[in-house]
Amino acid sequence: MTPGNNGASTPEDDDPFGYLYADGQANGAQPPSGGYGYPNSVNRVRPVGTRQYGAPQGQAAPPQQGAYGQPQGAYGQPNAHYAAPETFPGGGGPGAPQQPSGHGGGGGRRGPNTKGLLIGAVAVVAAVVIGIAVAMTSSGSDDDKGGDEAGGDTTPTQSQSSGPSPSASESAEEEVELPSTEAKAMRLGGSASLASEVEGAQSDGGVYVANLNQPGASVTWTVDGIPEDGLYTLFTTYSAAGEDQSMTLTVNGKEFGSKLNLGNFAHAEDGDFAKGWTKTFAWPTLNKGTNTITLSCADGDKCNVLLDQFSLKKGQVKD
């Protein structure tokens, strides 16, 4: 067979898509109609450049069915479900259709429900706090039960006492009572003698030591039971009237650094010894155990006093 152009209708040479091109159309190519195994729907295929988007002039566009039977827009108009990304809100394309807001007053997408989130967070925190409180209450109840099972003794121990515990030094001072003496228990020397005519002495029976206003007169107190070496306060109860007095104090055979001041602190009139009872003090250093304290009238002293009692306290105090 002589080669040549046998026409577009020759089956073996026919291009099934020739009708889509200009040269195929010039050769008489026609769109297939169910032949060559093509379905009839191929008839809807049109040559390139001939398809029109939109209804013919003067003819209404057929409605298009959207998803789930909803009608789409006019024929040839963009379908919202299949439009290009740039046509969606925020896509940047000019004239892009905007999605209607869920609220009647404003556009844009609906923001997160912050109020609902806040309420949920508060509810979670409240649940946690309630759980902790219940756990603590249960623990306290278990402890109480355990105490009852252990014997139920509610008497507070020393460590549970609300008041401060006394220190070791305070306890020692409370336990060890330092000695004191009355006039009748002292050893008298020189012109010193006991008397009781003047009222106001604190010693038993109102007895005191008088006649000390002569040189060489003295009273001596031998003290036993000093707990330790150190400074102590010696208190002397006496009566002075009129002019202030002073006498010599000797501790363990050594003269004290200064005279013992026996002033008229009660401001009693001269000779009115009943109103002149008062107290003075000195701070001698004593040894542990036994000590000797002597009050005497030496040359130059003023000794017109009545002696009542001696007593001691630990440390340097004034009352």
Side-chain angles (χ1 to χ4, degrees):
M1 185 174 185
T2 304
N5 187 0
N6 295 324
S9 60
T10 305
E12 58 274 16
D13 296 328
D14 185 21
D15 182 359
F17 301 100
Y19 68 93
L20 298 174
Y21 308 98
D23 56 348
Q25 295 176 15
N27 291 327
Q30 297 294 326
S33 175
Y36 305 106
Y38 291 96
N40 292 332
S41 60
V42 176
N43 292 334
R44 292 198 298 271
V45 180
R46 298 188 183 191
V48 175
T50 61
R51 184 178 180 88
Q52 296 182 358
Y53 294 90
Q57 187 175 5
Q59 181 177 353
Q64 297 293 324
Q65 292 296 324
Y68 302 101
Q70 298 298 325
Q72 292 182 345
Y75 179 76
Q77 297 298 321
N79 188 331
H81 295 285
Y82 299 97
E86 61 270 14
T87 63
F88 283 93
Q98 299 294 325
Q99 295 294 330
S101 171
H103 299 283
R109 296 184 179 182
R110 183 178 181 181
N113 189 354
T114 56
K115 183 176 181 181
L117 294 176
L118 179 60
I119 294 175
V122 171
V124 171
V125 173
V128 172
V129 172
I130 293 174
I132 294 174
V134 170
M136 294 178 64
T137 303
S138 301
S139 176
S141 300
D142 294 340
D143 292 342
D144 294 340
K145 293 179 180 178
D148 293 339
E149 293 173 357
D153 187 6
T154 58
T155 303
T157 63
Q158 183 176 358
S159 60
Q160 295 172 332
S161 175
S162 59
S165 300
S167 63
S169 59
E170 291 175 348
S171 300
E173 290 180 6
E174 292 177 358
E175 294 175 359
V176 178
E177 183 177 355
L178 296 177
S180 62
T181 187
E182 295 180 345
K184 59 185 179 181
M186 300 179 191
R187 186 173 78 245
L188 305 181
S191 60
S193 61
L194 299 178
S196 59
E197 289 81 6
V198 178
E199 296 180 355
Q202 298 179 9
S203 297
D204 187 19
V207 178
Y208 53 88
V209 177
N211 302 319
L212 291 172
N213 56 348
Q214 299 294 323
S218 65
V219 293
T220 300
W221 179 28
T222 301
V223 187
D224 295 323
I226 300 301
E228 59 183 356
D229 297 347
L231 287 171
Y232 291 82
T233 301
L234 171 67
F235 291 101
T236 302
T237 304
Y238 68 99
S239 176
E243 190 177 12
D244 291 337
Q245 307 294 304
S246 63
M247 298 179 68
T248 300
L249 180 64
T250 302
V251 178
N252 295 325
K254 296 181 180 180
E255 189 173 328
F256 191 66
S258 60
K259 302 289 184 177
L260 181 62
N261 184 14
L262 300 170
N264 182 11
F265 304 127
H267 306 289
E269 296 292 336
D270 189 13
D272 192 0
F273 288 97
K275 294 183 180 179
W277 294 106
T278 185
K279 183 169 65 175
T280 190
F281 64 90
W283 292 331
T285 299
L286 302 180
N287 301 324
K288 181 179 180 181
T290 302
N291 295 262
T292 301
I293 299 173
T294 300
L295 186 62
S296 61
C297 185
D299 292 337
D301 292 345
K302 295 180 179 180
C303 311
N304 191 18
V305 296
L306 306 178
L307 294 180
D308 187 10
Q309 294 177 331
F310 282 169
S311 63
L312 290 171
K313 282 189 177 180
K314 184 77 168 65
Q316 293 180 334
V317 298
K318 295 184 178 179
D319 52 21

